[in-house]
Amino acid sequence: MKNTLLQPEGWVTPKGYANGVAARGTMVFTGGQIGWNAQQQFESDDFIAQTKQTLLNVRAVLEAGGAGPEHLVRLTWYVTDRNEYNSRLKELGAVYREVLGKNFPAMACVQVAGLMEERAKIEIEATAVIPP
């Protein structure tokens, strides 16, 4: 069974995410991933660079669980500056597609006052489901 995107009748189709996803199989959950490398060191304070590294980290954890971007059913993004997020959507979309491809799960994005790692500008949690 392939994951099924849920689109209520009459709703405008969202861009870059799904309203919902129905899935069956082995569930893989990531902890909150941030924009540092495997040695827990930040290489940049740029929002887009941190987002790319965060997405690479999400992908690496998924792969460790036997999943890939095509198995994503949910992403929750926590950003420290929604204005930067919104003003850089074109760059953000390009980095997203580069790392995760054209896989657009259900998604929430929340602005937070800060993250536990002071230099972090973004944190992402992911849920994937590997079909039986």
Side-chain angles (χ1 to χ4, degrees), residues 8 83 124:
N83 292 328
I124 299 175

Side-chain angles (χ1 to χ4, degrees), residues 112-128:
V112 295
L115 297 165
M116 296 311 293
E117 291 297 327
E118 190 172 342
R119 286 181 65 187
K121 294 184 175 211
I122 184 166
E123 184 167 336
I124 299 175
E125 298 174 320
T127 304

Side-chain angles (χ1 to χ4, degrees), residues 25-81:
T26 302
M27 298 177 76
V28 178
F29 302 91
T30 73
Q33 300 299 307
I34 60 175
W36 59 17
N37 63 26
Q39 290 71 47
Q40 298 183 345
Q41 298 172 341
F42 288 95
E43 296 177 6
S44 175
D45 288 319
D46 176 69
F47 176 71
I48 298 300
Q50 281 198 18
T51 300
K52 181 176 181 177
Q53 184 63 57
T54 300
L55 293 170
L56 288 167
N57 295 345
V58 166
R59 190 175 74 189
V61 175
L62 291 177
E63 289 170 354
E70 69 276 15
H71 300 117
L72 285 168
V73 295
R74 182 165 186 77
L75 292 173
T76 304
W77 295 46
Y78 304 94
V79 298
T80 58
D81 185 343

